[in-house]
Amino acid sequence: MRILVIGGGGREHALVWKIGGSPLLRSRADLMCVPGNAGIEDHASCLPAPARGLTDVAALADLAVKERIDLTVVGPEAPLMSGLVDELTRRGLAVFGASRAAARLEGSKVFAKEFMQRHGIPTAPFEVFSSCRDTLDWLGSTERSFPIVVKADGLAAGKGVVVAPDRASAQEAARAILEEKRFGAAGERIVIEECLTGAEISFFALTDGESATPLASCQDHKRLGDGDTGPNTGGMGALSPSTDLDPDMERRIMERVIQPAIAGMAEEGSPYRGVLYAGLMLTERGPMVLEYNARFGDPEAQVLMPRLESDLVPLLVAASDAGGRMRDIAGRIRWRPEWAACVVLASAGYPGSPETGRMIRGLEMAAKVPQTEVFHAGTRRERDGSLRDRIVTAGGRVLAVTSLGRDLGEALNRAYAGVECLSFEGMQFRRDIGGAALSRLAARPEPLLGHTPREREG
Ligand code: AMP
Ligand code: GLY
């Protein structure tokens, strides 16, 4: 079987690493990635992105035809929303990912909120605005309470959401989006919604458009700084399993959030296939949807893939447009009992304007830490004139150090031992990944999912 993965971040490195181990591939030559990165090159043939980028769906589909690809796996949101899945399907090629119409669940927050309202899916009460004047008037009413959340409708690279502590900052956020057009066309409309409190988790389900099966639970760390401070990022670290999810809650989420979304999309004529990612707040009123995404999370994929014992490829095929067989496979997904922890190393300036081109040291040493994978995100191989290439930073998030352990403490110790080996100028990372989860485990009378908590050493 020949597989093409689209994307070049940490999520795609984790996917390529896992797919590369599948017995369904005869050799490394059967796995390709566009554009990949310096780490992905170890497992797949990497080809440059089309000149117009990963939204040039015709060029990507031409490549899949030319390379006789049996399954294309789409990592990031941009090619999904540009219709890559539709284009490949039109040409009779199998693809894992959501169609353009299905990907609106991620691409438009207005669509997602109104969809949830139509189908009775729990989410924060909200209003939609396109006029700045109307927004400011509405926010000015004495009936409003703060904090309140202001969201740009379209894709804004994770920067389009402001949790506004008071009226003035909510009005400022609305002005920045609707009047100053900070996010361009992605900010033609805004959603304003109630601020929810509770534990935030990332929930993933594979679906063929009819039936769905959940993946292992996991948790992201969205803020840049220790103690959940600083700006929101794409994610600075992740854990699996989540310490906030038990089998009963998983069932409720499947029943109230995942199944109604899949049934609703099918009913509205845009069947949803691939992976459905719900960002959830576990509130006192039950699980509520913060957002849907049409792809695997990053860095959530980096903790899910090492824990997945089953072959990923049959799962991707079952959830692809060639599938319709999710139901047969669902009960047979096997997960390792170990915990996984991931620490992201980011460039100076991330998430604003990251500095790039800095040499990365210590990759060989980090690779020796037991049960540890250093997934590459923004990295590039550079010829420096000597016999050996060097690997330099090429993006905001650079590396995602992921380790398995018999308990969360061991996984974290190993991941941070990997981090100790690595350095580049301006490197920033969180020192408290998993800290809150360890405290929760220590305070819990009953061990969760059979794992016994152990303090992180050192
Ligand atoms: P989103 O892109 O919609 O997931 O928003 C980014 C982040 O903003 C989320 O991960 C949450 O931490 C936060 N957030 C979004 N919506 C809400 C809400 N209604 N209440 C509280 N926090 C929120
Ligand atoms: N880690 C959050 C995301 O992938 O959107």
Side-chain angles (χ1 to χ4, degrees):
M1 188 169 181
R2 286 173 62 73
I3 297 182
L4 169 65
V5 175
I6 305 294
R11 163 185 50 215
E12 287 76 25
H13 190 181
L15 292 171
V16 163
W17 171 85
K18 181 66 187 166
I19 292 169
S22 169
L24 295 171
L25 272 66
R26 268 169 315 164
S27 75
R28 185 181 171 284
D30 285 339
L31 184 54
M32 308 187 77
C33 187
V34 176
N37 60 36
I40 292 176
E41 283 173 9
D42 289 343
H43 322 276
S45 320
C46 294
L47 293 173
R52 285 187 290 125
L54 296 183
T55 57
D56 187 346
V57 300
L60 291 171
D62 288 346
L63 178 74
V65 170
K66 176 165 159 259
E67 295 293 339
R68 294 173 288 106
I69 296 298
D70 299 300
L71 178 71
T72 301
V73 179
V74 188
E77 57 275 20
L80 295 172
M81 280 151 214
S82 307
L84 178 57
V85 170
D86 311 63
E87 180 65 19
L88 289 165
T89 305
R90 203 174 59 74
R91 300 196 196 190
L93 297 175
V95 53
F96 173 86
S99 69
R100 189 212 297 259
R104 280 179 302 165
L105 272 186
E106 171 165 3
S108 167
K109 293 199 190 286
V110 173
F111 173 81
K113 293 293 289 193
E114 291 175 345
F115 172 84
M116 288 187 264
Q117 196 169 48
R118 285 197 291 282
H119 296 280
I121 298 169
T123 189
F126 68 101
E127 296 285 333
V128 176
F129 296 94
S130 53
S131 140
C132 192
R133 188 69 263 150
D134 293 350
T135 315
L136 299 183
D137 286 350
W138 187 86
L139 284 169
S141 157
T142 51
E143 286 169 37
R144 309 298 156 234
S145 52
F146 299 89
I148 206 163
V149 184
V150 181
K151 300 182 172 185
D153 176 41
L155 289 185
K159 295 175 200 160
V161 175
V162 176
V163 180
D166 50 40
R167 177 172 288 115
S169 43
Q171 290 179 327
E172 187 188 305
R175 257 190 233 106
I177 301 171
L178 289 171
E179 207 167 79
E180 293 157 28
K181 295 269 175 272
R182 184 168 299 168
F183 305 111
E188 300 269 328
R189 291 187 293 174
I190 59 173
V191 169
I192 299 190
E193 67 182 37
E194 185 186 309
C195 186
L196 303 173
T197 52
E200 197 177 329
I201 63 159
S202 305
F203 193 94
F204 297 89
L206 292 179
T207 174
D208 55 18
E210 283 174 24
S211 64
T213 187
L215 299 181
S217 65
C218 52
Q219 204 138 23
D220 190 7
H221 292 66
K222 294 233 170 168
R223 300 293 195 102
L224 181 68
D226 285 359
D228 289 330
T229 55
N232 259 320
T233 69
M236 294 300 290
L239 310 174
S240 177
S242 158
T243 51
D244 291 299
L245 202 79
D246 56 25
D248 183 52
M249 181 61 84
E250 183 186 84
R251 213 167 22 248
R252 277 168 73 185
I253 293 168
M254 285 302 288
E255 280 169 16
R256 296 187 193 176
V257 169
I258 301 295
Q259 273 141 6
I262 290 162
M265 290 303 282
E267 195 184 303
E268 295 188 11
S270 324
Y272 190 100
R273 293 188 196 91
V275 59
L276 181 60
Y277 163 1
L280 300 169
M281 196 72 95
L282 306 180
T283 73
E284 283 173 354
R285 290 172 276 169
M288 297 183 86
V289 179
L290 299 175
E291 61 168 349
Y292 284 113
N293 292 310
R295 52 181 173 76
F296 283 107
D298 184 340
E300 288 94 328
Q302 290 92 310
V303 288
L304 287 177
M305 293 304 124
R307 287 196 64 221
L308 179 61
E309 200 169 279
S310 307
D311 186 357
L312 176 63
V313 174
L315 304 181
L316 298 176
V317 171
S320 75
D321 49 359
R325 280 165 290 147
M326 205 69 241
R327 217 179 287 277
D328 304 340
I329 250 170
R332 291 195 267 128
I333 306 182
R334 295 280 166 265
W335 297 94
R336 290 183 207 290
E338 286 97 334
W339 288 75
C342 167
V343 180
V344 169
L345 306 182
S347 299
Y350 178 75
S353 320
E355 290 172 9
T356 57
R358 305 287 187 265
M359 182 167 151
I360 303 170
R361 293 173 208 275
L363 286 165
E364 279 173 25
M365 203 157 63
K368 295 195 181 115
V369 178
Q371 298 283 303
T372 298
E373 290 298 328
V374 179
F375 292 120
H376 289 224
T379 69
R380 182 165 53 80
R381 204 172 287 273
E382 201 173 72
R383 301 272 129 86
D384 68 352
S386 68
L387 287 178
R388 285 176 61 147
D389 296 345
R390 51 183 213 158
I391 294 179
V392 300
T393 64
R397 291 184 292 174
V398 176
L399 299 168
V401 185
T402 304
S403 302
L404 292 174
R406 280 162 300 177
D407 53 40
L408 179 56
E410 188 176 54
L412 286 165
N413 281 331
R414 286 175 171 159
Y416 277 104
V419 170
E420 285 291 308
C421 304
L422 293 158
S423 66
F424 53 85
E425 201 187 313
M427 179 170 108
Q428 42 171 349
F429 63 93
R430 278 181 63 162
R431 289 173 170 77
D432 69 339
I433 300 300
L438 278 179
S439 310
R440 274 196 297 279
L441 286 172
R444 204 191 293 269
E446 294 286 316
L448 182 90
L449 305 167
H451 296 281
T452 27
R454 198 181 71 184
E455 282 303 308
R456 217 181 117 209
E457 293 142 20

